[in-house]
Amino acid sequence: MSMQWSKLLSRKRIGSSQEPSTSTVRTDFQRDFDRIVFSSAFRRMQDKTQVFPLSRVDYIRTRLTHSLEASSIGRSLGTLVGEQIIKHHGLEQNEASDFGDICAAACLAHDIGNPPFGHSGEDAIRHWAQTAKYGEPRVAVLSDSEKEDFLNFEGNAQGFRILTRLQNPDNPGGLQLTCATLAAFTKYPRESFLGGSNFGGVSAKKQGFVAEDRERFTEVANEVGLIRRDPSRAIWFRHPLAFLVEAADDISYRVIDIEDGFRLGYFTLDEVMDLFWPILPDRAKQEQRLNRISDDKGRVEFLRAKVINEAIGQAMSCFLDHEEEIMTGKFDAPLLSQVPATESMGRLISVAKDRIYNAQEVVGIQTAGFQVIGELLERFSETLDDIAMHGDKALARSRMTSHLISKQFVGPDNVPSQNLYTRLLRLTDYVAGMTDTYAVSLYKKMTGISLPS
């Protein structure tokens, strides 16, 4: 069994009966990009951590700027691959830019589901579900994927919810993106509980949708023709372009985190050059150009651009070399783990972990983020349970606290669902959607640390 490009590039919009656009000026995939850009969830990423939480330095990247940069890389990578795929398969109905636009849109949204405080925010939600005095027993009574959705909370699955349900909630299918973009966005096309079965490969590493969204992703998978890996479990092999989306993200953060680290003084110029030179061919030629740049900042920017360009070329070649295996599900590894510069690219992330990600400035705020997110979830879960079980007879504190929760995340008519899984899911929707600053501000108000003047 093999996937087919004619289906993989489906322009069908999830939740919409609208026919694909015939415009050659602004294609369906370009419209996907625009819909994401103008969504409030995308805008909130300007105040969500990339590496340095609540940074006071205006140069440092946020989730928003990282997503824009990854999208730029994804567009280049997708377009280069698309040009060759079209030639090889004779896809006369498609342009190389279609591949680039799908990757650009998927990259733009790839972190849209991340909670406050970056990846530590995901850990904080999992920690709450696993250990909290009130939260743990509530999660424990759930079963299978409903339970694992919280125990192994995943920003990628939250992103699929935002794109297809939470953003524009009155629309069936949320933003109503094309199935091609949604499938390329989903790096991990599986539910959270697989019944103990051990599925190998990078596409099975984490979950890409929660139990409530299982049918919605199944519709996407069927439309684009993904290969199902198990008849009784919701798990598929990746959309081929998801490998390019992953590569664009990997290239972006590995290279640019080093540049940010240099700007903050974690690395010297010589250390950055020692990390970047092994990735680049023709060092003598690059050194001639580098010597014409007068300031260290400009030199790092020059090398960063060259490393990204080289990584794009290697990722493209790797994809094309393995295309047949990718289309049948036999290749299921990150592209950057198979390129000539694998070792040097790997060194970028290992050094960043030692020198940046575990820096006191970063870890201190992320640790505080555990307290902020855990306390919000604990207080709000008690509040919603009390109102769901007792209605107008709920505690005065619960009725008052409920006004701090946006109505969309309480329930229809501002009444919490009687279903525990649904209540918890709406709550994590609310907390995960907060910006870093808003989460801290709300925590201070709820705990009395900060009171209105």
Side-chain angles (χ1 to χ4, degrees), residues 283-441:
R283 175 171 174 171
K285 179 180 178 181
Q286 306 298 349
E287 284 183 325
Q288 288 180 1
R289 296 187 60 185
L290 194 67
N291 290 334
R292 295 199 294 269
I293 301 174
S294 59
D295 65 298
D296 290 350
K297 177 179 70 70
R299 289 171 180 163
V300 171
E301 289 175 348
F302 171 79
L303 287 174
R304 175 255 297 160
K306 291 298 180 181
V307 169
I308 287 176
N309 186 64
E310 176 63 22
I312 287 173
Q314 291 192 20
M316 175 196 70
S317 297
C318 182
F319 183 94
L320 295 173
D321 289 344
H322 294 281
E323 186 214 345
E324 185 175 341
E325 298 165 89
I326 290 172
M327 298 293 278
T328 59
K330 293 179 181 178
F331 180 93
D332 197 13
L335 293 178
L336 290 196
S337 71
Q338 308 293 314
V339 299
T342 290
E343 184 176 346
S344 298
M345 292 295 290
R347 187 170 173 234
L348 298 182
I349 192 170
S350 63
V351 170
K353 284 180 179 178
D354 291 340
R355 302 278 292 277
I356 301 176
Y357 305 157
N358 293 321
Q360 186 173 358
E361 171 191 356
V362 175
V363 174
I365 295 178
Q366 288 180 341
T367 301
F370 268 76
Q371 176 67 25
V372 170
I373 290 175
E375 185 69 18
L376 292 176
L377 289 168
E378 193 80 339
R379 293 276 188 98
F380 285 143
S381 59
E382 291 182 74
T383 294
L384 294 176
D385 281 359
D386 187 18
I387 295 174
M389 290 185 282
H390 301 110
D392 293 338
K393 296 181 180 180
L395 296 173
R397 175 178 173 176
S398 297
R399 295 197 303 272
M400 187 179 302
T401 303
S402 70
H403 292 295
L404 296 175
I405 307 174
S406 299
K407 292 182 179 180
Q408 176 187 353
F409 303 106
V410 175
D413 301 320
N414 212 29
V415 177
S417 171
Q418 290 299 304
N419 182 280
L420 174 61
Y421 171 69
T422 301
R423 286 202 304 278
L424 290 174
L425 202 56
R426 299 293 177 273
L427 177 55
T428 50
D429 287 341
Y430 179 50
V431 174
M434 294 178 182
T435 64
D436 294 8
T437 302
Y438 182 76
V440 171
S441 174

Side-chain angles (χ1 to χ4, degrees), residues 9-282:
L9 303 175
S10 171
R11 299 172 186 265
K12 175 180 169 58
R13 295 194 173 280
I14 196 74
S16 172
S17 58
Q18 175 184 341
E19 291 296 320
S21 171
T22 58
S23 171
T24 57
V25 177
R26 185 165 170 259
T27 69
D28 286 302
F29 306 130
Q30 291 170 338
R31 292 169 193 259
D32 284 347
F33 185 95
D34 295 345
R35 291 183 184 194
I36 295 166
V37 164
F38 286 98
S39 68
S40 60
F42 179 75
R43 187 166 60 251
R44 282 196 298 272
M45 288 200 292
Q46 68 184 311
D47 188 21
K48 286 198 173 189
T49 298
Q50 170 61 14
V51 174
F52 301 96
L54 302 172
S55 176
R56 298 181 185 276
V57 180
D58 59 5
Y59 172 83
I60 299 305
R61 290 164 173 86
T62 64
R63 285 284 167 190
L64 184 74
T65 46
H66 163 68
S67 297
L68 289 166
E69 289 167 341
S71 181
S72 178
I73 294 170
R75 175 176 282 111
S76 297
L77 189 49
T79 302
L80 290 168
V81 166
E83 186 177 32
Q84 299 304 314
I85 295 294
I86 288 172
K87 289 180 181 178
H88 185 256
H89 294 278
L91 302 177
E92 297 178 358
Q93 301 301 313
N94 293 100
E95 302 288 341
S97 59
D98 291 338
F99 291 76
D101 291 337
I102 292 170
C103 290
C107 286
L108 194 70
H110 81 280
D111 274 346
I112 206 167
N114 275 37
F117 305 105
H119 290 300
S120 69
E122 293 175 300
D123 290 334
I125 295 175
R126 296 170 195 144
H127 183 76
W128 170 80
Q130 294 164 8
T131 66
K133 181 177 179 181
Y134 187 83
E136 186 275 332
R138 304 302 285 153
V139 173
V141 302
L142 302 174
S143 59
D144 298 344
S145 283
E146 290 189 355
K147 182 178 181 179
E148 292 298 321
D149 287 345
F150 303 106
L151 294 179
N152 290 296
F153 176 87
E154 176 55 45
N156 288 282
Q158 190 65 26
F160 186 81
R161 287 182 64 68
I162 289 171
L163 297 177
T164 63
R165 185 184 295 272
L166 302 179
Q167 198 68 47
N168 296 5
D170 295 328
N171 275 353
L175 287 178
Q176 297 185 339
L177 303 180
T178 63
C179 288
T181 293
L182 287 171
F185 163 85
T186 308
K187 294 196 295 183
Y188 310 109
R190 50 155 285 195
E191 62 182 323
S192 59
F193 181 74
L194 298 175
S197 299
N198 185 19
F199 294 90
V202 68
S203 63
K205 182 181 177 182
K206 305 174 183 178
Q207 68 265 30
F209 50 88
V210 300
E212 186 177 75
D213 299 331
R214 186 188 296 114
E215 290 186 12
R216 190 152 290 172
F217 184 79
T218 300
E219 182 182 348
V220 171
N222 289 340
E223 171 63 25
V224 300
L226 300 188
I227 299 173
R228 192 156 190 160
R229 300 181 66 174
D230 186 278
S232 60
R233 297 289 175 188
I235 178 168
W236 290 260
F237 284 115
R238 274 181 177 175
H239 189 291
L241 296 185
F243 287 97
L244 301 184
V245 173
E246 178 181 57
D249 179 31
D250 287 348
I251 292 168
S252 179
Y253 81 79
R254 291 187 191 204
V255 177
I256 293 173
D257 284 356
I258 298 297
E259 181 185 10
D260 279 356
F262 168 76
R263 292 293 290 264
L264 287 177
Y266 290 103
F267 301 112
T268 65
L269 175 63
D270 287 341
E271 287 174 325
V272 172
M273 293 173 71
D274 286 343
L275 289 169
F276 284 171
W277 280 131
I279 301 170
L280 296 173
D282 197 2

